[in-house]
Amino acid sequence: LDTLSGGRFRLGLGVSGPQVSEGWYGVKFDKPLARTREYVEIIRKAMARERLSHDGEHWTLPLPGGPGKPLKLTVHPVREHIPLYIAAIGPKNLEQTGEIADGALVVLFSPEHAEETTLGALRAGRAKAGKDLDGFDLVPTVPMAVGDDADGLADLFRPYTALYIGGMGSPKQNFYNKLARRMGYEREAAEIQERYLAGDKDGAAAAIPRELIDSTTLLGPVERIAERMQAYAEAGVTTLSLTPAGFTLDERIAGLRAGVEALERAGLA
């Protein structure tokens, strides 16, 4: 992929959550931070084209007692160092990501709450590695809808936001619900989750505060989106991963074009 992209490939990793890890992958969701750290160590060795051997708590390579032997990649990436990103949302995961990764992939990111939800933990992790945030890539995935009716556009993302805050996990473990609480939406997050898990998805969507949607998406005419992109940049975001609204390819392409126009207007392209 690095060769095909002309040296532009970025590797993203993430442990997901208990329901997906155990229900979809059959992997017990225990010690996610330790597993991530060890996994990254292995990937770093492999990408550096070292002969791969590892003796850790979660993985032993080669597998003892079998025919395996230390191997190394036969392909040659364009670059010696492949940028490695981790999908992180909780404070401890963000701190570790700042320490061991080149970038963080985040969702439901709000520029107005960047310090208490994201930057503080990342900065602490970078400090552990003797670094600061210079050169670290903060990449939020941001839903975007272009048009004049901002309220109507916000409603497009109510089901999306309700799914994350209300349905991505169990009552005991939902990282996105905890994120909304850290933004100050303690009561609202509890109601959204209660309604969603009870099967009232419409009620959960309706319970989402308008300002929560507005602060975690890009809505409105191109000029307003450009202003919001400036806010993201000022909050420490270095790369925007845009997710345009729409069900057809033409709709999504039109949204991306509007996004590029907004970036240019904001002086960020």
Side-chain angles (χ1 to χ4, degrees), residues 89-216:
I89 191 168
K92 292 182 179 179
N93 193 3
L94 283 164
E95 183 174 331
Q96 179 172 273
T97 296
E99 180 185 358
I100 68 175
D102 301 298
L105 305 172
V106 298
V107 298
L108 294 181
F109 178 88
S110 167
E112 291 73 24
H113 301 279
E115 185 62 36
E116 64 266 33
T117 63
T118 308
L119 294 179
L122 286 175
R123 195 178 290 110
R126 299 295 283 174
K128 284 186 175 180
K131 302 176 182 178
D132 55 28
L133 286 174
D134 287 346
F136 187 84
D137 200 5
L138 177 57
V139 189
T141 294
V142 186
M144 180 182 68
V146 183
D148 294 327
D149 181 9
D151 288 333
L153 294 174
D155 289 341
L156 291 175
F157 296 120
R158 286 188 177 278
Y160 165 89
T161 308
L163 170 63
Y164 276 88
I165 296 176
M168 285 285 195
S170 67
K172 293 183 179 179
Q173 188 66 287
N174 181 322
F175 301 118
Y176 310 99
N177 190 277
K178 292 179 180 178
L179 173 61
R181 292 168 186 260
R182 291 199 299 275
M183 291 182 192
Y185 297 102
E186 185 84 23
R187 179 182 57 80
E188 294 88 343
E191 181 183 356
I192 293 164
Q193 184 178 61
E194 181 180 355
R195 287 177 178 270
Y196 199 98
L197 295 181
D200 183 12
K201 295 181 180 180
D202 291 340
I208 300 169
R210 168 71 168 76
E211 60 269 22
L212 173 57
I213 298 175
D214 194 38
S215 68
T216 56

